[in-house]
């Protein structure tokens, strides 16, 4: 069982969406992840939102003109995504067993994004497999972008993966570190409790 399901029971889609809607109403910028990713790829790029949740990031990327696919294991989150953007492709799948061809999806993405603490909330021991499966969905030269917390101040659960461990998973999957930032606004990484990592296949 994933740490996310242990935390939420797999029924938190509406609550999660309501929390972000409240943040948006308060004036908080909700599109940092999408803006960051869009700056890395050409217009009309194919983007996989891995662990897409309620679709906040992917919907914005689609609005910016990108060809997007969303995958998540949590049916309650996907229900919200499908309600908000019924015309976009949303798939329920475990990232540790993600096989695009089984879903009828071409494995030639320009970018895979895993935002929202995806890696710390995976089932323990599946991190390397998830990186491997997501890397396999990238075209040669494609980018994998992952942002996640590294300490209890930035996570709803105790930390589950360190940056060196994540980098080792990426190296084993054939990815090379391109850059690392402290935020989705591309602030320089200074060893703090949150990191956004960009790797290239």
């Amino acid at each position: 069982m994933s740490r996310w399901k242990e935390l939420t029971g797999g029924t938190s889609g509406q609550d999660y969406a309501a929390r972000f809607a409240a943040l948006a109403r308060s004036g908080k910028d909700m599109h940092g992840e999408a803006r960051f990713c869009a700056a890395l790829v050409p217009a009309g790029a194919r983007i996989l939102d891995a662990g897409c949740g309620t679709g906040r990031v992917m919907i914005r990327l689609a609005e910016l003109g990108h060809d997007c696919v969303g995958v998540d294991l949590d049916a309650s989150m996907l229900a919200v995504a499908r309600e908000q953007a019924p015309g976009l492709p949303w798939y329920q799948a475990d990232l540790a067993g993600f096989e695009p061809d089984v879903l009828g999806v071409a494995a030639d993405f320009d970018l895979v994004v895993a935002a929202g603490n995806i890696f710390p909330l995976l089932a323990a021991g599946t991190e390397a497999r998830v990186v491997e499966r997501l890397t396999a969905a990238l075209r040669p030269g494609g980018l994998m972008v992952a942002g996640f917390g590294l300490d209890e101040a930035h996570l709803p659960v105790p930390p589950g993966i360190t940056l060196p461990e994540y980098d080792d998973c990426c190296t084993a999957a054939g990815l090379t570190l391109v850059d690392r930032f402290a935020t989705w606004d591309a602030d320089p990484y200074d060893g703090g409790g949150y990191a956004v990592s960009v790797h290239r296949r």
Side-chain angles (χ1 to χ4, degrees):
M1 181 183 295
S2 72
R3 300 175 95 195
W4 170 255
K5 190 166 185 179
E6 290 175 358
L7 181 70
T8 68
T11 60
S12 65
Q14 291 292 343
D15 290 343
Y16 189 88
R19 180 161 61 90
F20 276 92
L23 287 171
R25 287 193 300 271
S26 74
K28 183 172 175 59
D29 175 20
M30 305 307 299
H31 299 306
E33 300 101 324
R35 188 167 53 248
F36 180 95
C37 292
L40 296 174
V41 292
R46 294 197 72 233
I47 298 178
L48 173 66
D49 190 347
C52 61
T54 58
R56 176 178 57 86
V57 175
M58 178 170 139
I59 290 170
R60 181 58 178 162
L61 285 167
E63 289 172 349
L64 294 173
H66 297 291
D67 178 11
C68 301
V69 172
V71 177
D72 204 286
L73 188 56
D74 188 325
S76 74
M77 303 285 271
L78 286 171
V80 175
R82 288 172 177 141
E83 180 181 324
Q84 293 183 344
L88 294 179
W90 310 102
Y91 295 96
Q92 185 174 8
D94 186 341
L95 294 178
F98 177 55
E99 295 185 26
D101 58 333
V102 172
L103 301 176
V105 174
D108 62 351
F109 289 96
D110 298 294
L111 185 144
V112 171
V113 57
N117 287 321
I118 300 304
F119 280 96
L121 293 169
L122 293 171
T126 66
E127 297 89 353
R129 177 66 176 165
V130 170
V131 172
E132 177 186 307
R133 297 314 308 152
L134 296 182
T135 300
L138 283 170
R139 66 166 178 77
L143 298 172
M144 178 130 88
V145 179
F148 54 86
L150 302 163
D151 58 23
E152 293 193 14
H154 294 85
L155 288 168
V157 295
I161 185 170
T162 66
L163 276 181
E165 289 168 344
Y166 177 69
D167 286 342
D168 286 346
C169 292
C170 290
T171 299
L175 297 172
T176 302
L177 181 65
V178 175
D179 217 333
R180 178 162 284 143
F181 304 94
T183 68
W184 292 99
D185 290 324
D187 295 315
Y189 183 67
D190 57 1
Y194 191 89
V196 179
S197 305
V198 182
H199 287 77
R200 187 183 302 278
R201 181 177 183 187

Coordinates of all heavy atoms in Angstrom, one line a residue, residues 17-68:
A17 N -9.2 19.0 -3.5 CA -9.5 20.0 -4.5 C -10.0 21.3 -3.8 O -9.7 22.4 -4.2 CB -10.6 19.5 -5.4
A18 N -10.8 21.1 -2.7 CA -11.4 22.2 -2.0 C -10.3 23.0 -1.3 O -10.3 24.3 -1.3 CB -12.4 21.7 -0.9
R19 N -9.2 22.3 -0.8 CA -8.1 23.0 -0.2 C -7.4 23.9 -1.2 O -7.0 25.1 -0.9 CB -7.2 22.0 0.4 CG -6.0 22.6 1.1 CD -5.3 21.7 2.1 NE -4.8 20.5 1.5 CZ -3.6 20.3 1.0 NH1 -2.7 21.4 1.0 NH2 -3.2 19.2 0.4
F20 N -7.1 23.4 -2.4 CA -6.4 24.2 -3.4 C -7.3 25.3 -3.9 O -6.8 26.3 -4.3 CB -5.9 23.3 -4.5 CG -4.6 22.6 -4.1 CD1 -4.5 21.4 -3.5 CD2 -3.4 23.3 -4.4 CE1 -3.3 20.9 -3.2 CE2 -2.1 22.8 -4.0 CZ -2.1 21.5 -3.4
A21 N -8.6 25.0 -4.0 CA -9.5 26.1 -4.5 C -9.5 27.3 -3.5 O -9.5 28.4 -3.9 CB -10.9 25.5 -4.6
A22 N -9.4 27.0 -2.2 CA -9.4 28.0 -1.2 C -8.1 28.8 -1.3 O -8.1 30.0 -1.2 CB -9.5 27.4 0.2
L23 N -7.0 28.1 -1.6 CA -5.7 28.8 -1.8 C -5.7 29.7 -3.0 O -5.2 30.8 -2.9 CB -4.6 27.7 -1.9 CG -4.2 27.0 -0.7 CD1 -3.2 25.8 -1.0 CD2 -3.5 27.9 0.3
A24 N -6.4 29.2 -4.0 CA -6.5 30.1 -5.2 C -7.3 31.3 -5.0 O -6.9 32.4 -5.4 CB -7.1 29.2 -6.4
R25 N -8.4 31.2 -4.2 CA -9.2 32.3 -3.9 C -8.5 33.3 -3.0 O -8.8 34.5 -3.1 CB -10.5 31.8 -3.2 CG -11.5 31.2 -4.1 CD -12.9 31.0 -3.4 NE -12.8 30.2 -2.2 CZ -12.9 28.9 -2.1 NH1 -13.1 28.2 -3.3 NH2 -12.9 28.3 -1.0
S26 N -7.5 32.8 -2.2 CA -6.8 33.7 -1.4 C -5.7 34.5 -2.1 O -5.0 35.4 -1.6 CB -6.1 32.9 -0.2 OG -5.0 32.2 -0.7
G27 N -5.6 34.2 -3.4 CA -4.6 34.9 -4.3 C -3.3 34.2 -4.4 O -2.4 34.7 -5.1
K28 N -3.1 33.0 -3.9 CA -1.9 32.3 -4.0 C -1.7 31.8 -5.5 O -2.7 31.4 -6.1 CB -1.9 31.1 -3.1 CG -0.6 30.3 -3.1 CD -0.6 29.2 -2.0 CE 0.7 28.3 -2.1 NZ 1.9 29.1 -2.0
D29 N -0.5 31.9 -6.0 CA -0.2 31.4 -7.3 C -0.3 29.9 -7.3 O 0.5 29.2 -6.6 CB 1.2 31.9 -7.7 CG 1.7 31.3 -9.1 OD1 0.8 30.9 -9.8 OD2 2.9 31.3 -9.3
M30 N -1.1 29.3 -8.1 CA -1.3 27.9 -8.2 C -0.7 27.2 -9.4 O -0.8 26.0 -9.6 CB -2.9 27.6 -8.2 CG -3.7 28.2 -7.1 SD -3.0 27.9 -5.5 CE -3.1 26.1 -5.4
H31 N 0.1 28.0 -10.2 CA 0.6 27.4 -11.4 C 2.1 27.4 -11.6 O 2.6 27.3 -12.7 CB 0.0 28.2 -12.6 CG -1.5 28.2 -12.6 ND1 -2.2 27.0 -12.7 CD2 -2.5 29.2 -12.7 CE1 -3.5 27.2 -12.7 NE2 -3.7 28.5 -12.7
G32 N 2.8 27.4 -10.4 CA 4.2 27.4 -10.5 C 4.8 26.2 -11.1 O 5.7 26.2 -12.0
E33 N 4.2 25.0 -10.8 CA 4.7 23.7 -11.4 C 4.5 23.8 -12.9 O 5.5 23.4 -13.7 CB 4.0 22.5 -10.8 CG 4.2 22.4 -9.3 CD 3.0 22.9 -8.5 OE1 2.3 23.9 -9.0 OE2 2.6 22.3 -7.5
A34 N 3.3 24.2 -13.4 CA 3.1 24.2 -14.8 C 4.0 25.2 -15.5 O 4.5 24.9 -16.6 CB 1.6 24.5 -15.1
R35 N 4.1 26.3 -14.9 CA 5.0 27.3 -15.6 C 6.4 26.9 -15.7 O 7.1 27.0 -16.7 CB 4.9 28.6 -14.7 CG 5.6 29.8 -15.3 CD 5.2 31.1 -14.6 NE 5.4 31.0 -13.2 CZ 4.4 31.0 -12.3 NH1 3.2 31.1 -12.7 NH2 4.7 31.0 -11.0
F36 N 6.9 26.2 -14.6 CA 8.3 25.7 -14.6 C 8.5 24.7 -15.7 O 9.4 24.7 -16.5 CB 8.5 25.0 -13.2 CG 9.9 24.4 -13.1 CD1 10.9 25.1 -12.5 CD2 10.2 23.1 -13.5 CE1 12.2 24.6 -12.3 CE2 11.4 22.6 -13.3 CZ 12.4 23.3 -12.7
C37 N 7.5 23.7 -15.8 CA 7.6 22.7 -16.8 C 7.5 23.2 -18.2 O 8.2 22.8 -19.1 CB 6.5 21.6 -16.6 SG 6.8 20.6 -15.1
A38 N 6.6 24.1 -18.4 CA 6.4 24.7 -19.8 C 7.6 25.4 -20.3 O 7.9 25.5 -21.5 CB 5.2 25.7 -19.8
A39 N 8.4 26.0 -19.4 CA 9.6 26.7 -19.7 C 10.7 25.7 -20.2 O 11.7 26.2 -20.8 CB 10.2 27.5 -18.6
L40 N 10.6 24.4 -20.0 CA 11.6 23.5 -20.3 C 11.4 22.8 -21.7 O 12.3 22.1 -22.2 CB 11.7 22.4 -19.3 CG 12.1 22.8 -17.9 CD1 11.9 21.6 -16.9 CD2 13.5 23.3 -17.8
V41 N 10.2 23.0 -22.3 CA 9.9 22.2 -23.5 C 9.3 23.2 -24.6 O 8.9 24.3 -24.3 CB 8.8 21.1 -23.2 CG1 9.4 20.0 -22.3 CG2 7.6 21.7 -22.5
P42 N 9.3 22.7 -25.8 CA 8.8 23.5 -26.9 C 7.3 23.5 -26.8 O 6.6 22.7 -26.1 CB 9.3 22.8 -28.1 CG 9.5 21.4 -27.7 CD 10.0 21.5 -26.3
A43 N 6.7 24.4 -27.6 CA 5.2 24.5 -27.7 C 4.7 23.2 -28.2 O 5.3 22.5 -29.0 CB 4.8 25.6 -28.7
G44 N 3.5 22.8 -27.6 CA 2.9 21.6 -28.0 C 3.6 20.3 -27.6 O 3.3 19.2 -28.2
A45 N 4.4 20.4 -26.6 CA 5.2 19.2 -26.1 C 4.2 18.2 -25.5 O 3.2 18.5 -25.0 CB 6.2 19.6 -25.1
R46 N 4.6 16.9 -25.6 CA 3.9 15.8 -24.9 C 4.4 15.7 -23.5 O 5.6 15.5 -23.2 CB 4.1 14.5 -25.6 CG 3.5 14.4 -27.0 CD 3.4 13.0 -27.5 NE 2.3 12.3 -26.8 CZ 2.4 11.2 -26.2 NH1 3.5 10.5 -26.1 NH2 1.3 10.6 -25.6
I47 N 3.4 15.8 -22.5 CA 3.8 15.8 -21.1 C 3.0 14.8 -20.4 O 1.7 14.7 -20.5 CB 3.6 17.2 -20.5 CG1 4.5 18.2 -21.2 CG2 3.8 17.2 -19.0 CD1 4.3 19.7 -20.7
L48 N 3.6 14.0 -19.6 CA 3.0 13.0 -18.7 C 3.0 13.6 -17.3 O 4.0 13.9 -16.7 CB 3.7 11.7 -18.7 CG 3.2 10.6 -17.7 CD1 1.8 10.2 -18.0 CD2 4.2 9.4 -17.7
D49 N 1.8 13.7 -16.7 CA 1.7 14.1 -15.3 C 1.5 12.8 -14.5 O 0.5 12.2 -14.5 CB 0.5 15.0 -15.1 CG 0.4 15.7 -13.8 OD1 1.2 15.3 -12.9 OD2 -0.4 16.6 -13.6
A50 N 2.6 12.4 -13.9 CA 2.7 11.2 -13.1 C 2.3 11.4 -11.7 O 3.0 12.1 -10.9 CB 4.1 10.6 -13.2
G51 N 1.1 10.9 -11.3 CA 0.6 11.2 -10.0 C -0.2 12.5 -10.1 O 0.0 13.5 -9.3
C52 N -1.1 12.6 -11.1 CA -1.7 13.9 -11.5 C -2.7 14.3 -10.5 O -3.1 15.5 -10.5 CB -2.4 13.7 -12.8 SG -3.7 12.4 -12.9
G53 N -3.2 13.5 -9.6 CA -4.1 13.9 -8.6 C -5.4 14.5 -9.2 O -6.0 13.9 -10.1
T54 N -5.8 15.6 -8.7 CA -7.1 16.3 -9.2 C -6.8 17.0 -10.5 O -7.8 17.7 -11.0 CB -7.6 17.2 -8.2 OG1 -6.7 18.2 -7.8 CG2 -8.0 16.4 -6.9
G55 N -5.6 17.0 -11.0 CA -5.4 17.6 -12.4 C -4.9 19.0 -12.4 O -4.8 19.6 -13.5
R56 N -4.7 19.6 -11.3 CA -4.4 21.1 -11.3 C -3.2 21.4 -12.2 O -3.3 22.4 -13.0 CB -4.0 21.5 -9.8 CG -3.6 22.9 -9.7 CD -3.3 23.3 -8.2 NE -2.3 22.4 -7.6 CZ -1.0 22.6 -7.7 NH1 -0.5 23.7 -8.3 NH2 -0.2 21.8 -7.1
V57 N -2.1 20.7 -12.1 CA -0.9 21.0 -13.0 C -1.2 20.7 -14.4 O -0.9 21.5 -15.3 CB 0.3 20.2 -12.5 CG1 1.5 20.4 -13.4 CG2 0.6 20.6 -11.0
M58 N -1.8 19.5 -14.7 CA -2.0 19.1 -16.1 C -3.0 20.0 -16.8 O -2.8 20.3 -18.0 CB -2.4 17.6 -16.1 CG -2.7 17.1 -17.5 SD -2.9 15.4 -17.6 CE -4.3 15.2 -18.7
I59 N -4.1 20.3 -16.1 CA -5.1 21.2 -16.8 C -4.4 22.5 -17.2 O -4.7 23.0 -18.3 CB -6.3 21.4 -15.8 CG1 -7.0 20.1 -15.7 CG2 -7.2 22.5 -16.4 CD1 -8.1 20.2 -14.6
R60 N -3.6 23.1 -16.4 CA -2.9 24.3 -16.8 C -2.0 24.1 -17.9 O -1.9 24.9 -18.9 CB -2.2 24.9 -15.6 CG -1.4 26.2 -15.9 CD -2.4 27.3 -16.4 NE -1.7 28.5 -16.6 CZ -2.2 29.5 -17.4 NH1 -3.4 29.3 -17.9 NH2 -1.5 30.6 -17.6
L61 N -1.2 23.0 -17.9 CA -0.3 22.7 -19.0 C -1.1 22.5 -20.3 O -0.7 22.9 -21.4 CB 0.5 21.4 -18.7 CG 1.6 21.6 -17.7 CD1 2.2 20.3 -17.2 CD2 2.8 22.5 -18.3
A62 N -2.3 21.9 -20.3 CA -3.1 21.7 -21.5 C -3.6 23.1 -21.9 O -3.6 23.3 -23.2 CB -4.3 20.8 -21.1
E63 N -3.9 24.0 -21.0 CA -4.4 25.3 -21.4 C -3.3 26.1 -22.1 O -3.5 26.9 -22.9 CB -4.8 26.1 -20.1 CG -6.1 25.6 -19.5 CD -6.4 26.2 -18.2 OE1 -5.5 26.9 -17.6 OE2 -7.5 26.1 -17.7
L64 N -2.0 25.7 -21.8 CA -0.8 26.4 -22.4 C -0.5 25.7 -23.7 O 0.5 26.1 -24.4 CB 0.4 26.3 -21.4 CG 0.2 27.1 -20.1 CD1 1.4 26.8 -19.2 CD2 0.1 28.6 -20.4
G65 N -1.3 24.7 -24.1 CA -1.1 24.2 -25.5 C -0.4 22.9 -25.6 O -0.1 22.4 -26.7
H66 N -0.1 22.3 -24.4 CA 0.7 21.0 -24.4 C -0.2 19.8 -24.5 O -1.4 19.9 -24.1 CB 1.6 20.9 -23.2 CG 2.6 22.0 -23.2 ND1 3.7 22.1 -24.1 CD2 2.7 23.1 -22.4 CE1 4.4 23.1 -23.8 NE2 3.8 23.8 -22.8
D67 N 0.3 18.7 -25.1 CA -0.4 17.5 -25.3 C -0.2 16.6 -24.0 O 0.9 16.0 -23.9 CB 0.1 16.8 -26.5 CG -0.5 15.5 -26.8 OD1 -1.5 15.1 -26.1 OD2 0.0 14.7 -27.7
C68 N -1.2 16.5 -23.1 CA -0.9 16.0 -21.8 C -1.7 14.7 -21.5 O -2.8 14.5 -22.1 CB -1.4 17.0 -20.7 SG -0.5 18.6 -20.8

